[in-house]
Amino acid sequence: MTLLVLPGGKYGAFIWPAYAVSVIAFAWMILDTILRARRWRRRARELEDERRRES
Amino acid sequence: MFAALANPLRFMAFSRWAAPLLGAAAAVAIGVGLVFGLEAPPDYQQGQTVQIMFVHVPAAWTAMLAYACLGAASFVSLVFRHALADQAAKAAAPLGAAFTGLALITGSLWGRPMWGAWWVWGDARLVSVLVLFLLFLGYLALRASIEDEAKSARAGEILALIGLINLPVIHFSVEWWNTLHQGESILRKGGPALAPVYLLPLLLMGAGYSLAFGALWLARTRAEVWKRRATSLALQAALA
């Protein structure tokens, strides 16, 4: 399996950074999206609870 | 379907299950595509650098898809004054910037061993994709720099719609001008120029990237809806 041979011959120095940067970009997109969604959902629910308590 | 999803409550109910479902489908498509892609034999001309194609081309396709979504959402927001469309446009921009940046970096890593250069300013495909990246960044900067939400939305919509002109320029750049970048090899007369051993993983990766964008776009739009709700509640509390 090519994957196990890994280095990619004399072009390995170009192939693996391309895959590494793709993994980093996906990791950033997924983490940032999840954290953003959680933060604003939590904030909106806190404010909704606050309003319910006051009314 | 789109008309039904224009209702924020329906959109939130739909996206709650659709986002993870699209994410799971994306993971499967990318996983299978990677296995096939990394096992593909070296190309007779490009050697093993052909494996960069499986991350570079899908990133470029998805960057253009993201801009088309940004443009469509901006159009709906501008014409129908629809808040959810504006939130969808805002959510698409950072993802589009990330995919375009990825296409530029991986393209550069492919160009160096094949062309002997990291970047070629005279190449219309490269420069038009750089313009796409700057359009995404410009949209994000514009939205962040105007405090008034309505004015910020209008300015962003106009920029996004003007930038749509760049999409056909990117697509046809390899036909209109002499470029170092290779010509169209999938959507062309006479069928794809790629052998099935490369075409299958490329299409799987392309589908996977597009599905991943769909999942992340829905999730980020949900975050924008929550943000608007929180901002509105905070304002009401401050005025009470």
Side-chain angles (χ1 to χ4, degrees):
Chain A
M1 191 173 161
T2 315
L3 183 59
L4 298 176
V5 183
L6 241 165
K10 59 180 176 175
Y11 298 124
F14 301 99
I15 297 167
W16 299 111
Y19 278 81
V21 80
S22 302
V23 169
I24 291 166
F26 266 93
W28 173 78
M29 284 191 283
I30 293 165
L31 276 178
D32 185 64
T33 300
I34 290 171
L35 293 177
R36 181 177 291 260
R38 280 188 185 166
R39 183 170 72 237
W40 286 112
R41 186 178 56 197
R42 196 185 314 122
R43 182 74 188 127
R45 284 190 175 155
E46 278 169 10
L47 288 164
E48 277 169 357
D49 289 345
E50 227 168 81
R51 194 168 73 162
R52 221 170 284 133
R53 274 198 303 273
E54 282 170 11
S55 61
Chain B
M1 183 189 171
F2 288 112
L5 290 178
N7 178 320
L9 285 176
R10 274 197 218 118
F11 169 79
M12 291 303 268
F14 164 78
S15 58
R16 192 174 182 179
W17 60 264
L21 193 70
L22 286 177
V28 171
I30 291 173
V32 177
L34 273 177
V35 169
F36 283 123
L38 292 171
E39 287 197 330
D43 179 68
Y44 79 106
Q45 276 184 324
Q46 306 197 13
Q48 283 195 303
T49 62
V50 74
Q51 286 174 337
I52 298 176
M53 175 175 73
F54 305 124
V55 286
H56 167 68
V57 177
W61 286 345
T62 312
M64 292 175 70
L65 171 69
Y67 200 89
C69 292
L70 171 62
S74 295
F75 176 78
V76 173
S77 177
L78 186 67
V79 174
F80 301 105
R81 294 282 194 266
H82 202 289
L84 187 59
D86 177 52
Q87 289 150 6
K90 268 177 95 174
L95 298 172
F99 279 110
T100 315
L102 202 49
L104 288 168
I105 294 170
T106 53
S108 186
L109 285 163
W110 198 6
R112 182 66 182 88
M114 290 299 100
W115 306 334
W118 297 101
W119 181 261
V120 182
W121 280 109
D123 190 290
R125 172 60 67 86
L126 271 60
V127 173
S128 56
V129 174
L130 179 64
V131 169
L132 184 71
F133 186 57
L134 295 176
L135 279 166
F136 278 123
L137 294 187
Y139 178 90
L140 289 168
L142 197 59
R143 295 301 307 255
S145 63
I146 303 174
E147 209 170 313
D148 183 308
E149 195 57 35
K151 283 182 185 166
S152 159
R154 293 300 88 83
E157 286 152 6
I158 292 164
L159 175 67
L161 290 174
I162 292 170
L164 280 174
I165 298 165
N166 193 41
L167 291 186
V169 173
I170 294 173
H171 182 75
F172 292 109
S173 57
V174 288
E175 290 179 22
W176 293 344
W177 296 284
N178 284 323
T179 62
L180 261 180
H181 195 281
Q182 69 184 64
E184 185 58 62
S185 45
I186 308 288
L187 298 172
R188 60 177 214 137
K189 283 179 189 168
L194 286 174
V197 72
Y198 301 122
L199 186 61
L200 177 67
L202 181 61
L203 293 179
L204 279 166
M205 292 293 281
Y209 272 49
S210 303
L211 289 165
F213 167 74
L216 293 167
W217 190 29
L218 286 178
R220 287 188 91 94
T221 306
R222 285 174 66 81
E224 289 294 333
V225 172
W226 285 117
K227 184 181 174 184
R228 190 183 171 90
R229 174 85 182 135
T231 309
S232 163
L233 286 168
L235 194 65
Q236 284 171 26
L239 291 174

